[in-house]
Amino acid sequence: MSVKKTSAEKRHDQSVVRRMRNRAVKSRCHTSVRKYLDAIQKKDQTAAAEALRQVSSEYDNAFRKGVIKHNNASRKKSRMAKLYNVTFAAAK
């Protein structure tokens, strides 16, 4: 018969799994932001628009999963949109 796991050990194991899952979600957010900033630097408006949609989607997903808070997601999405508007304002 195996030795029972204490509740503290079980709790620690759960926190490890959650931490890895949360890190994966955050990593997807960071990757999409990098792609977005690359498109902004290249002054590619269509790629930047698509990347901005992807960034917004990733942050919404992270908020929905409880990885980041609502205001955090909103602030980052707003700053990305502002960067897009400032960068491509002269093109309009």
Side-chain angles (χ1 to χ4, degrees), residues 62-74:
F63 161 64
R64 228 176 288 116
K65 292 183 176 189
V67 176
I68 60 175
K69 298 202 182 255
H70 180 262
N71 286 352
N72 189 341
S74 296

Side-chain angles (χ1 to χ4, degrees), residues 28-85:
R28 281 197 303 271
C29 288
H30 296 318
T31 301
S32 64
V33 168
R34 268 197 306 274
K35 288 180 183 176
Y36 172 69
L37 293 177
D38 286 344
I40 289 285
Q41 279 188 330
K42 292 176 184 172
K43 303 284 189 199
D44 186 359
Q45 189 169 5
T46 56
E50 178 60 35
L52 180 59
R53 279 192 288 278
Q54 183 67 30
V55 167
S56 295
S57 174
E58 290 293 343
Y59 278 122
D60 287 339
N61 194 24
F63 161 64
R64 228 176 288 116
K65 292 183 176 189
V67 176
I68 60 175
K69 298 202 182 255
H70 180 262
N71 286 352
N72 189 341
S74 296
R75 181 181 68 246
K76 291 181 181 199
K77 285 168 37 180
S78 174
R79 288 179 181 172
M80 294 297 156
K82 190 178 200 180
L83 177 62
Y84 178 87
N85 291 334

